[in-house]
Amino acid sequence: MAAEIQPKPLTRKPILLQRVEGSQEVVNMAVIVPKEEGVISVSEDRTVRVWLKRDSGQYWPSIYHAMPSHQSRVTMVLFVLELEWVLSTGQDKQFAWHCSESGQRLGGYRTSAVASGLQFDVETRHVFIGDHSGQVTILKLEQENCTLVTTFRGHTGGVTALCWDPVQQVLFSGSSDHSVIMWDIGGRKGTAIELQGHNDKVQALSYAQHTRQLISCGGDGGIVVWNMDVERQETPEWLDSDSCQKCDQPFFWNFKQMWDSKKIGLRQHHCRKCGKAVCGKCSSKRSSIPLMGFEFEVRVCDSCHEAITDEERAPTATFHDSKHNIVHVHFDATRGWLLTSGTDRVIKLWDMTPVVS
């Protein structure tokens, strides 16, 4: 069972600017209209609604229409202004891209599972698709065809959200396994940094490039703001061993050593800092390791616990409660506004400048 997150109370927190209510169906995703007092939402009924702010200060749906791009519910939509493309994924396992001017379908690709994350790099025309199987697919798009570049996976659960930083060329993936992974795509080093800060599945990700802060939102209602402008460390691979790598006590499946030493086998654990296989007695301590992405306390071996300094335990993320089950977010960096949409059919608009700065 994952440890409960107990963040320290903060004096600075996001400010709720607006609640947008009135959708008859669950809002799957929503985005802020650039330079306007408006919101665009995609609902469970395959409709797109444009909400504009009235003189009363309330948001009302002024325009809405159905999306004919997919045979079932649309899961993600991206608009690429530079190319005039609309990219979309649906529950029909189809990825498609259309010309926004003519409405013509330019091409498509069938994924192995239902897609649940979608990002695009304008300069290289690479699209990143995350799906429920936990796989991320990279495609190279041309005007009317696409080429499969590669696929990779690192989560133990399905991918629920993707976020792309075109400057650092880093891809962030959120998952139902409660974690976020930062993939070094541009560096070609295969580096993968894990971030653990939610008690439920990660539902949505957004990135503030100007401050290098990642915003993750989850089914637990938490909004976590991660400082990515620090030198983070990869979590070590868990080592295999038939006995504790600290005291040499056999684990319970090592029948030969148990018989030879006349000792009862012990349960195997792993130190989150060094990755060694250890018994419970040799890993009785807990510690946060923020630079490895562990913002709450995890199991470490006794020697690693003694070596971790107070400076290394300093948090690199802040935690905030949205008070609804978030399914999608959109961050407007120019104004510092964060839009969250939830299963409660409510859209909330937050002023994030107190924490994203």
Side-chain angles (χ1 to χ4, degrees), residues 37-53:
E37 295 284 343
V39 169
I40 301 174
S41 65
V42 177
S43 299
E44 189 79 18
D45 57 3
R46 298 172 60 210
T47 60
V48 176
R49 287 178 168 84
V50 180
W51 306 73
L52 299 179
K53 190 174 184 179

Side-chain angles (χ1 to χ4, degrees), residues 42-108:
V42 177
S43 299
E44 189 79 18
D45 57 3
R46 298 172 60 210
T47 60
V48 176
R49 287 178 168 84
V50 180
W51 306 73
L52 299 179
K53 190 174 184 179
R54 300 303 188 186
D55 293 338
S56 63
Q58 299 298 312
Y59 285 74
W60 296 97
S62 303
I63 307 167
Y64 84 91
H65 62 273
M67 289 194 61
S69 306
H70 296 270
Q71 297 178 353
S72 58
R73 178 170 69 89
V74 176
T75 54
M76 295 296 295
V77 173
L78 282 180
F79 173 55
V80 184
L81 177 63
E82 295 85 349
L83 301 172
E84 295 183 343
W85 286 356
V86 176
L87 315 180
S88 60
T89 61
Q91 273 198 323
D92 53 5
K93 301 182 182 180
Q94 288 289 336
F95 161 71
W97 69 104
H98 291 68
C99 173
S100 62
E101 289 295 304
S102 65
Q104 177 186 357
R105 180 185 170 101
L106 300 176

